[in-house]
Amino acid sequence: MADFSSKVVYQIYPKSFRDTNGDGFGDIPGIIEKLDYLQELGVDYLWLTPVFISPQRDNGYDVADYRRINPLFGTMEDLEDLVRQSKGRGMGIMLDMVFNHTSTQHEWFQKALAGDEKYQKYYIFKEGTPGRAPTNWQSKFGGSAWEYVPGLKKWYLRLYDVTQADLNWDNPEVREELKEIIRFWKEKGIQGFRFDVINLVSKPGKMEDDFEGDGRRFYSDGPHIHEYLKELVKDTGIEGFVTVGEMSSTSLGHCIRYSAPEEKELSMCFNFHHLKVDYKDGDKWALMEADYKKLKELFREWQMGMQEGGGWNALFWCNHDQPRIVSRLGDEKVYWRESAKMLAGMIHLMRGTPYIYQGEEIGMLNAHYPSIEQYRDVESLNYYRILLEEGKTEEEALEVLSARSRDNSRTPMQWGGGEYGGFSGAEPWIPMSAGFRKEITVEAQQKDDGSILAFYKKLIAMRKEYPVIAKGEISFLETGTDMVLAYQRKLGKQQMAVFCNMGGTKQRIKMSGEWSRYPVLMRNYCLSAENGKPNLEKGTYTMEPFELVVLGNVKE
């Protein structure tokens, strides 16, 4: 497996990135238009969320044809041009492969509905009667995970939306079909793949009710998942490609196996445990303040565990399914700039490959829509109804969506200060964030050396310049408070220590005299310390709200 430790990936949600034809939807030519910007940022790979033919019930994650480009985004020629022009700028294109399920509009499923037994075996159908689902499993989007088809007198499994039927990976013909799709895109020059909820594809042979949860314990990291991944990677020849798996409700042990080079499965893994520290009783739709002690424990557990087991993390805060991290764990107002930089530095300097989601590099905020009519996400609309049924008022339900909706990350990219933020000349498919401010634009920040954008450029450049960041060992430091996360990186004579105040108040921390001798390599506040060293008083250091300070020696 290839080494991607010094690389940085930038995620693009094409529908909301840049619209060039004035229809209110982002498109592939819009990505091409911004390639110089992305090259200047310094990223190595551009991950595109699905641009395939799709009814867009789940914004492209309901694929109806894996080999054709949705006209909404452009043409195959546009994609080929994007691959060509990106390569000329030293960047590769990663495609998003949704292999757990297809749209019910996919030709395979339509043939299954028509009674073709071959294609019924492509999916997970179970004999049954109306009103008695095969199991009590719950859909990730709410309601039953099963849907009844009266004409067939059968139920089909759909862990997500009713229009997203789960594929049967136990059928070798299905696995061969999916390999052919990978080979098709390899020939087009694609250099990486992100596999959507890939650890859910291997279902148990015996399906039973779950009286402890929603069913996920039976199908997450299923019985043949490692076998099937090895087969997919080997038979398609993508061992040297950058490959990342989205792992839903996974475990550390499995992620080590998924990403350890000798296993020859994937380059790295996304896990989401650190993004559930503000879920009350583990419920995404129940709000609470973030548990910072738990956050520190999770980072320590996964960073140290993956290091010891030889696995590799994909480092991220944001993606197309997550709220904006500044709105979630930072400060949208007084410390907007400082908190955005601190959160970036915290994960970019860890062990793993960093991912930047479009707009994260300028500190974009949640949507804060005042009306349900402004939301577009199927999951959000489903849960708005569920929350009302549970007795919440409209105002309370909107408050939950304001914090949790996937639409928070899908508002148009903010390129400039004009109408619609330079995303389009027409009204966008989804409204602009209610938190849109002219300072939160690429145009404003490109002119400001102290901007969040400039800080991201520096982080990316440092990873490429200093091997200690890309390849060094990590260990964690005690600070005496749950609100400050601190860790050190070491590689030969190179070493650095990273201190992150995660809260909006000053924190007095313990700091070893060893680190007081080292210069400040990076800080998200203007450096005021004399000689570029931290001001220590008897082994303690007072951190400003949301302060990030990096100390060390990066010379060979």
Side-chain angles (χ1 to χ4, degrees):
M1 304 295 281
D3 179 5
F4 298 101
S5 59
S6 65
K7 307 301 184 186
V8 178
V9 182
Y10 187 94
Q11 183 189 355
I12 294 175
Y13 193 73
K15 200 172 182 180
S16 298
F17 192 64
R18 172 74 177 106
D19 169 27
T20 59
N21 62 3
D23 63 358
F25 295 90
D27 46 47
I28 296 170
I31 302 171
I32 295 172
E33 180 186 291
K34 299 299 182 181
L35 286 177
D36 287 344
Y37 164 77
L38 295 165
Q39 181 184 17
E40 184 182 335
L41 183 59
V43 297
D44 302 282
Y45 291 92
L46 308 179
W47 154 27
L48 277 54
T49 56
V51 290
F52 313 118
I53 294 288
S54 164
Q56 295 289 307
R57 171 81 174 182
D58 188 20
N59 282 289
Y61 283 88
D62 47 332
V63 179
D65 190 328
Y66 292 97
R67 291 181 175 85
R68 291 170 56 210
I69 301 298
N70 191 329
L72 184 71
F73 299 119
T75 65
M76 183 64 79
E77 289 73 24
D78 290 330
L79 186 74
E80 291 168 346
D81 190 25
L82 174 63
V83 170
R84 197 162 42 245
Q85 292 211 39
S86 298
K87 186 176 181 181
R89 291 171 173 83
M91 297 180 290
I93 299 297
M94 293 175 63
L95 289 187
D96 208 324
M97 294 289 119
V98 189
F99 282 173
N100 178 68
H101 46 261
T102 73
S103 166
T104 51
Q105 290 188 21
H106 195 288
E107 179 185 21
W108 300 339
F109 195 80
Q110 288 298 305
K111 287 181 176 179
L113 289 182
D116 189 323
E117 290 187 5
K118 172 184 174 178
Y119 288 98
Q120 285 180 13
K121 292 176 182 176
Y122 272 40
Y123 297 90
I124 300 172
F125 279 96
K126 297 290 183 184
E127 301 280 351
T129 56
R132 295 191 65 180
T135 70
N136 66 352
W137 297 358
Q138 294 294 295
S139 161
K140 306 280 190 178
F141 290 171
S144 175
W146 296 91
E147 194 68 24
Y148 189 68
V149 183
L152 298 177
K153 296 183 179 179
K154 293 180 179 180
W155 295 80
Y156 67 87
L157 182 66
R158 49 92 172 189
L159 294 180
Y160 291 88
D161 187 61
V162 62
T163 65
Q164 293 168 300
D166 280 51
L167 287 164
N168 176 18
W169 274 60
D170 289 334
N171 181 346
E173 291 185 60
V174 169
R175 302 200 301 276
E176 288 306 314
E177 293 269 19
L178 300 179
K179 291 173 196 173
E180 280 300 313
I181 292 164
I182 295 290
R183 294 180 188 117
F184 174 85
W185 288 111
K186 274 183 65 182
E187 290 180 7
K188 295 288 185 183
I190 297 302
Q191 293 185 316
F193 296 97
R194 181 260 190 187
F195 294 102
D196 186 63
V197 293
I198 193 65
N199 68 317
L200 307 187
V201 302
S202 176
K203 307 302 193 292
K206 178 185 176 183
M207 295 192 176
E208 55 189 296
D209 286 335
D210 188 352
F211 298 109
E212 298 177 18
D214 61 6
R216 70 184 63 192
R217 66 193 179 99
F218 293 128
Y219 57 74
S220 298
D221 305 309
H224 300 289
I225 182 60
H226 294 285
E227 169 192 336
Y228 290 161
L229 271 179
K230 284 178 170 65
E231 178 187 306
L232 179 74
V233 169
K234 180 182 177 182
D235 291 357
T236 57
I238 56 173
E239 293 95 337
F241 284 47
V242 57
T243 52
V244 59
E246 180 192 29
M247 304 301 174
S248 175
S249 302
T250 190
S251 70
L252 174 59
H254 278 292
C255 280
I256 290 171
R257 290 185 64 189
Y258 291 133
S259 61
E262 64 272 14
E263 294 287 340
K264 297 186 178 179
E265 294 183 16
L266 301 171
S267 308
M268 62 197 80
C269 298
F270 289 121
N271 83 82
F272 297 87
H273 296 74
H274 66 297
L275 293 175
K276 298 179 182 180
V277 294
D278 54 359
Y279 288 11
K280 188 176 182 181
D281 299 322
D283 181 0
K284 172 178 176 176
W285 304 97
L287 307 183
M288 66 173 244
E289 288 294 315
D291 183 339
Y292 289 99
K293 181 180 180 182
K294 183 66 174 175
L295 184 64
K296 288 177 64 173
E297 289 172 353
L298 285 166
F299 274 130
R300 181 191 295 265
E301 176 188 356
W302 279 81
Q303 283 283 302
M304 298 301 292
M306 291 289 265
Q307 176 172 265
E308 290 164 10
W312 194 251
N313 283 299
L315 306 168
F316 75 108
W317 286 121
C318 299
N319 65 25
H320 60 288
D321 285 336
Q322 297 292 330
R324 293 289 182 178
I325 198 60
V326 178
S327 297
R328 189 172 186 178
L329 296 181
D331 185 320
E332 293 189 333
K333 297 176 182 177
V334 177
Y335 299 107
W336 161 71
R337 186 185 299 234
E338 290 80 8
S339 63
K341 292 179 180 180
M342 180 278 295
L343 289 161
M346 184 193 297
I347 61 163
H348 273 253
L349 299 172
M350 284 185 178
R351 181 182 180 275
T353 297
Y355 283 66
I356 301 167
Y357 179 70
Q358 64 183 52
E360 189 177 0
E361 77 275 20
I362 56 171
M364 280 180 62
L365 308 177
N366 277 354
H368 296 302
Y369 293 144
S371 165
I372 190 61
E373 280 71 33
Q374 293 177 288
Y375 284 92
R376 301 290 181 266
D377 174 37
V378 60
E379 180 191 43
S380 300
L381 298 175
N382 283 350
Y383 269 95
Y384 179 76
R385 174 181 50 78
I386 291 169
L387 292 168
L388 294 181
E389 290 171 354
E390 290 175 350
K392 285 194 170 8
T393 65
E394 291 184 4
E395 184 179 2
E396 288 170 336
L398 283 171
E399 180 186 2
V400 174
L401 261 61
S402 181
R404 295 287 192 257
S405 173
R406 301 190 302 178
D407 281 341
N408 283 314
S409 61
R410 299 174 182 183
T411 58
M413 177 68 179
Q414 295 167 190
W415 297 104
E419 189 178 21
Y420 308 135
F423 163 71
S424 175
E427 183 177 352
W429 70 277
I430 189 171
M432 299 292 293
S433 167
F436 175 57
R437 309 197 302 249
K438 290 190 177 181
E439 64 184 316
I440 312 181
T441 64
V442 171
E443 182 181 45
Q445 295 191 30
Q446 280 181 321
K447 304 169 186 174
D448 180 4
D449 290 340
S451 68
I452 298 167
L453 177 60
F455 194 81
Y456 268 86
K457 290 178 181 178
K458 184 175 180 182
L459 280 171
I460 295 168
M462 284 176 66
R463 173 167 287 267
K464 298 180 187 309
E465 185 175 357
Y466 304 127
V468 66
I469 300 174
K471 299 182 181 300
E473 291 186 355
I474 189 169
S475 58
F476 286 76
L477 303 171
E478 183 52 59
T479 61
T481 171
D482 292 337
M483 294 307 299
V484 176
L485 173 73
Y487 57 89
Q488 61 184 358
R489 306 294 310 278
K490 291 190 176 183
L491 181 69
K493 294 181 179 179
Q494 289 192 349
Q495 51 188 330
M496 63 167 52
V498 181
F499 297 86
C500 308
N501 181 0
M502 299 183 286
T505 58
K506 291 185 178 184
Q507 297 290 333
R508 197 164 182 82
I509 65 167
K510 297 183 292 183
M511 185 181 286
S512 164
E514 172 193 2
W515 294 110
S516 66
R517 297 192 297 271
Y518 288 110
V520 174
L521 302 175
M522 172 178 268
R523 191 168 182 248
N524 61 340
Y525 279 76
C526 293
L527 184 61
S528 58
E530 187 177 352
N531 298 323
K533 292 184 180 179
N535 291 319
L536 291 179
E537 296 178 18
K538 298 179 180 179
T540 64
Y541 175 66
T542 300
M543 299 194 75
E544 295 297 319
F546 295 107
E547 181 179 358
L548 167 84
V549 62
V550 183
L551 310 171
N553 170 33
V554 289
K555 295 178 180 178
E556 290 290 352

